[in-house]
Amino acid sequence: LEGETVGEILAKLAEAYPGLKKKLFAANGSLRNPIHVYLNDEDIRFLEKEFTQVTDTDTISIVANPVRRLKNE
């Protein structure tokens, strides 16, 4: 997928796979609590969050934190 920011790419991914949208995003559009997104192994929470710029050579990883999820259920 192509995009200028992590947020744009995540939105395109959710559009391409509609069932994924509910897994990634809360009703208000923010990332769900157990979801962590990394850009080249750097947590985007410590960068510019969903506004973090990406290049063609970057890798985005989406990881669900199962411990956090268990606490919220």
Side-chain angles (χ1 to χ4, degrees):
L1 295 173
E2 294 182 10
E4 292 185 20
T5 66
V6 171
E8 286 180 17
I9 292 173
L10 291 177
K12 288 180 180 181
L13 184 64
E15 186 177 307
Y17 300 93
L20 189 60
K21 185 174 185 175
K22 289 196 286 188
K23 305 271 187 202
L24 291 178
F25 299 104
N28 66 3
S30 65
L31 281 173
R32 289 175 117 4
N33 280 335
I35 302 298
H36 297 276
V37 179
Y38 298 88
L39 179 68
N40 302 323
D41 299 326
E42 294 287 330
D43 192 328
I44 66 165
R45 292 177 300 168
F46 303 110
L47 300 172
E48 295 179 51
K49 299 182 181 173
E50 68 271 13
F51 304 107
T52 302
Q53 297 288 310
V54 296
T55 66
D56 292 340
T57 60
D58 288 330
T59 300
I60 296 174
S61 302
I62 303 169
V63 179
N65 182 346
V67 174
R68 180 73 181 247
R69 185 173 182 214
L70 290 174
K71 290 180 181 179
N72 289 336
E73 290 183 353

